[in-house]
Amino acid sequence: MFHRQTLAAAAAGILLTAGIGATVPAGATATASRTTTAPAMAQVVDVRWGGHSTFDRLVIDVRGTMPPVSVEPVKELRYDGSGNKVPLAGKYFLEIRLSPAVAHNEAGKSVYQGPRLLKIHLPALKGVALTGDFEGVVTVGAAFATKPVYKTFVLHQPERFVLDVARPAPVCRG
């Protein structure tokens, strides 16, 4: 009988110690939640494009602070999440990734006003698609008939990411 009482007392002591260690005073939790707020995630709100005399330009408009952006040549464009192929014609593709970023608000409603999938008739840029708004990453795909030679930069007030793609040299036939 003494042995059972000793085991029961030891088990109760362990449970109480674990419970006390996990308890946080209510005032501390309330104070922490009021003083620490997560910064708002950047929102991708539009993608637009234009033709210039020597280059085609793709602009991604962002609300909030510009997140890190990467541009990668890929063999084909795929929708994030599903992995389905993006139906844009082209031989060459660039995947533009903004992260951390979203294209929706806290309620899940889209804030993105640009094209979802669009064929474009410029000398270099042939198409653009919003390929993902998934797990804090927004991806935009661009399609080209010829291998793109490009430069990127960021402009501020308002925030926007710019991709300038050199137009292909004219073909001389004669």
Side-chain angles (χ1 to χ4, degrees), residues 19-41:
I20 291 169
T23 302
V24 177
T29 303
T31 302
S33 66
R34 272 182 276 159
T35 58
T36 56
T37 57
M41 193 173 294

Side-chain angles (χ1 to χ4, degrees), residues 117-157:
L117 178 68
L118 185 68
K119 185 175 183 179
I120 298 173
H121 303 283
L122 290 174
L125 182 62
K126 298 301 181 185
V128 66
L130 177 68
T131 58
D133 176 15
F134 187 68
E135 295 184 347
V137 179
V138 174
T139 53
V140 174
F144 306 89
T146 59
K147 188 173 183 177
V149 176
Y150 60 92
K151 68 178 182 175
T152 66
F153 53 97
V154 173
L155 296 172
H156 304 284
Q157 297 178 353

Side-chain angles (χ1 to χ4, degrees), residues 8-26:
I14 291 169
L15 290 173
L16 283 173
T17 302
I20 291 169
T23 302
V24 177

Side-chain angles (χ1 to χ4, degrees), residues 75-79 82-88 93:
K75 290 184 180 185
E76 61 187 5
L77 296 171
R78 297 220 169 249
Y79 287 109
S82 72
N84 294 336
K85 187 175 179 181
V86 177
L88 271 180
F93 304 96

Side-chain angles (χ1 to χ4, degrees), residues 79-118:
Y79 287 109
D80 292 349
S82 72
N84 294 336
K85 187 175 179 181
V86 177
L88 271 180
K91 292 182 181 179
Y92 299 91
F93 304 96
L94 293 176
E95 181 181 76
I96 305 162
R97 298 173 61 87
L98 297 91
S99 177
V102 293
H104 60 276
N105 62 21
E106 289 180 7
K109 184 180 178 197
S110 179
V111 296
Y112 179 75
Q113 301 298 312
R116 301 282 175 172
L117 178 68
L118 185 68

